[in-house]
Amino acid sequence: MTLAGESLDLVVIGLGYVGLPLAQEACRSGLKVTGLDVNAGVVATLGERRSHVDDLSDADVEAMLAAGFVATTNPAVISQAKTVVICVPTPLADDGRPDLGPVLAAAATVAGHLTAGTLVILESTTYPGTTEELLRPRLEESGLRIGVDIFLAFSPERIDPGNPVYGFRNTPKVVGGSTPACTAAATAFYRLVVDEVVPARGTREAEMAKLLENTYRHVNIALVNEMARFCHELDIDLWDVIRCASTKPFGFQPFYPGPGVGGHCIPIDPNYLSYQVQAALGYPFRFVELAQEINNGMPSYVVHRIQNALNDVAKPLRGSTVLLMGVTYKADISDQRESPAAPIAQKLAEQGARVIFHDPYVPFWTVKGLELNRVAVLEEAVEKADITVLLQSHSVYDLETLGRLAPLLLDTRGAMPDLPSVERL
Ligand SMILES: NC(=O)c1ccc[n+]([C@@H]2O[C@H](COP(=O)([O-])OP(=O)(O)OC[C@H]3O[C@@H](n4cnc5c(N)ncnc54)[C@H](O)[C@@H]3O)[C@@H](O)[C@H]2O)c1
């Protein structure tokens, strides 16, 4: 535990997928780092040298602890910090509106322990204006002046879980401060932990940059998802189309269709932007709404295609065994947040199918209170299932062998070899 009065280079608030890699890189850079989380379970796990996020191994956590990292639930550590970075979740409320509860709670915690000279940075993805309109007034309640006594900035996180090439250090970091002095202070901090820092004009530009990146993905995925539907009707292999278009060396970036969008960013963040445009300006952000409609419709479309494929071999969906292969939102990681596999399983179960699953990263899977059976031997289950659906193409899957064993297989990722029993989305 840190000694009272001892100075800390960094306190990271929120030790999840975003906060922990930041803390790790800061430890590697020789900074004295403490992590603060409200979840005592997370703090205890880290203290036991165990990692709970995909991008860090237990050995990584052990190395952090050896470098002096401490995880705690005690907010008093904030008063010892030179820099505080907030990495708490920004989910949607039940009615689809942004839920800034965790950000506001973290802001109140920081404000309660703030000392002169501290740099406070928000990394949680949020709508433009959050840093200035929500965070700034709370920090100023301390009587300390932004840009003079304390420094405030926003810096979007760009972590891509499971990406073997781009990690924390070699992904450029956008930084926008409340004042030029705040931008300068935040830039100087991030230069300690990343190779390239990109200063933005202000906090709003930095906040909006993140939303542009995610909305761009959301819209382009929706474009190919819509094309997937009519390419199927027209008997055109869209994956081959994308392969050909991708040979253009300029002006084109490939996006791929799939069973829907998942993860913490794409299905959620654009809502923050469309909510703010509607609330502040009174008109919709139509691209986001259309993308949402198309991407959210993909799980139903997949179920419809499963039903049609079974129908072609004279089987009803009711009573058929449907094996879902890969249920995480992304290949080669264990994160299931917002995975389209969940609505697909739910819709299939509602229609009377016997749903079973396999995923090397998911030992137990519960969808809306229903625990699904995980198959023990994948090859055997693929052979026996009425239909197998490849939802996530984890690289450990031997797709050639599985494709040959399956009597019927729907490939939602365009990853299977051409075989008579395999149908593409
Ligand atoms: N996961 C990603 O790939 C990713 C990528 C880019 C941006 N983001 C954004 O980063 C932010 C954090 O996401 P995440 O994936 O790391 O979330 P996470 O759920 O993995 O981790 C968040 C952590 O914050 C803790 N927490 C919640 N409220 C707190 C509080 N008031 N004080 C202290 N700790 C608190 C939680 O207990 C949890 O451990 C979100 O805004 C998200 O949109 C995530």
Side-chain angles (χ1 to χ4, degrees):
M1 190 65 205
T2 315
L3 298 173
E6 195 181 335
S7 156
L8 290 168
D9 293 309
L10 172 65
V11 167
V12 177
I13 305 185
L15 300 173
Y17 280 83
V18 168
L20 213 49
L22 165 65
Q24 179 192 33
E25 201 56 51
C27 288
R28 280 183 181 150
S29 306
L31 303 189
K32 199 158 177 26
V33 186
T34 287
L36 173 66
D37 204 293
V38 285
N39 186 334
V42 163
V43 169
T45 303
L46 291 169
E48 288 159 11
R49 299 170 159 26
R50 285 188 288 125
S51 171
H52 63 292
V53 305
D54 284 301
D55 282 348
L56 270 79
S57 65
D58 293 351
D60 289 331
V61 173
E62 190 154 358
M64 287 171 70
L65 294 169
F69 175 75
V70 174
T72 180
T73 55
N74 181 1
V77 291
I78 291 168
S79 61
Q80 295 159 252
K82 291 182 192 155
T83 299
V84 176
V85 182
I86 302 172
C87 305
V88 299
T90 42
L92 294 176
D94 288 342
D95 61 2
R97 292 211 248 177
D99 174 5
L100 286 169
V103 170
L104 291 173
T109 306
V110 174
H113 298 87
L114 202 53
T115 53
T118 308
L119 165 66
V120 180
I121 303 170
L122 177 65
E123 285 207 7
S124 304
T125 307
T126 183
Y127 58 75
T130 305
T131 309
E132 285 305 307
E133 292 153 24
L134 296 184
L135 224 57
R136 184 175 182 145
R138 272 167 184 78
L139 300 188
E140 282 176 330
E141 280 167 16
S142 63
L144 296 163
R145 291 161 299 164
I146 301 282
V148 181
D149 306 316
I150 50 168
F151 304 92
L152 175 64
F154 181 84
S155 179
E157 181 44 61
R158 286 170 158 169
I159 226 101
D160 183 18
N163 189 322
V165 179
Y166 290 104
F168 189 88
R169 185 165 269 281
N170 64 352
T171 303
K173 199 96 174 77
V174 172
V175 173
S178 279
T179 67
C182 294
T183 305
T187 302
F189 165 70
Y190 282 116
R191 285 212 172 113
L192 301 172
V193 288
V194 295
D195 295 340
E196 188 185 347
V197 182
V198 183
R201 280 182 88 107
T203 53
R204 284 186 177 82
E205 285 75 12
E207 289 163 333
M208 187 67 104
K210 171 71 184 178
L211 295 175
L212 171 60
E213 291 166 17
N214 282 352
T215 304
Y216 170 80
R217 280 187 63 74
H218 191 37
V219 166
N220 280 287
I221 292 168
L223 171 70
V224 285
N225 275 341
E226 186 170 30
M227 288 183 77
R229 291 183 181 216
F230 63 74
C231 280
H232 171 64
E233 306 277 323
L234 296 171
D235 198 21
I236 294 170
D237 182 343
L238 181 57
W239 277 271
D240 199 48
V241 173
I242 296 168
R243 183 183 63 79
C244 293
S246 301
T247 60
K248 187 179 176 189
F250 45 85
F252 182 83
Q253 193 191 349
F255 287 86
Y256 297 93
V261 286
H264 192 283
C265 291
I266 307 295
I268 294 173
D269 300 346
N271 289 284
Y272 269 69
L273 189 50
S274 58
Y275 165 80
Q276 199 219 11
V277 171
Q278 184 72 54
L281 305 171
Y283 52 78
F285 184 3
R286 289 175 296 161
F287 262 108
V288 166
E289 292 187 357
L290 180 62
Q292 255 155 6
E293 188 187 316
I294 293 169
N295 288 335
N296 292 349
M298 288 311 286
S300 295
Y301 177 66
V302 169
V303 171
H304 169 73
R305 290 286 303 275
I306 294 168
Q307 206 159 15
N308 283 359
L310 285 168
N311 189 51
D312 287 346
V313 292
K315 288 182 180 177
L317 182 54
R318 181 169 296 281
S320 286
T321 298
V322 183
L323 167 60
L324 302 181
M325 236 170 83
V327 299
T328 58
Y329 89 84
K330 200 174 170 191
D332 300 334
I333 65 168
S334 65
D335 196 342
Q336 298 166 44
R337 288 181 293 181
E338 312 295 326
S339 171
I344 290 171
Q346 193 190 345
K347 287 173 201 299
L348 289 168
E350 278 165 8
Q351 295 193 50
R354 188 179 155 259
V355 187
I356 53 177
F357 83 100
H358 179 274
D359 195 303
Y361 300 99
V362 182
F364 304 100
W365 191 37
T366 308
V367 177
K368 295 254 174 197
L370 173 74
E371 174 146 10
L372 289 131
N373 281 330
R374 184 183 193 271
V375 302
V377 185
L378 179 60
E379 288 74 10
E380 219 173 81
V382 164
E383 255 179 322
K384 283 191 190 151
D386 294 299
I387 184 166
T388 296
V389 187
L390 180 69
L391 291 179
Q392 200 49 266
S393 182
H394 293 305
S395 47
V396 294
Y397 284 147
D398 177 353
L399 299 179
E400 179 81 41
T401 304
L402 294 167
R404 290 190 191 286
L405 291 173
L408 189 58
L409 192 149
L410 177 66
D411 171 14
T412 69
R413 295 286 171 184
M416 298 293 302
D418 257 341
L419 292 166
S421 57
V422 173
E423 190 179 306
R424 275 189 176 180
L425 191 68

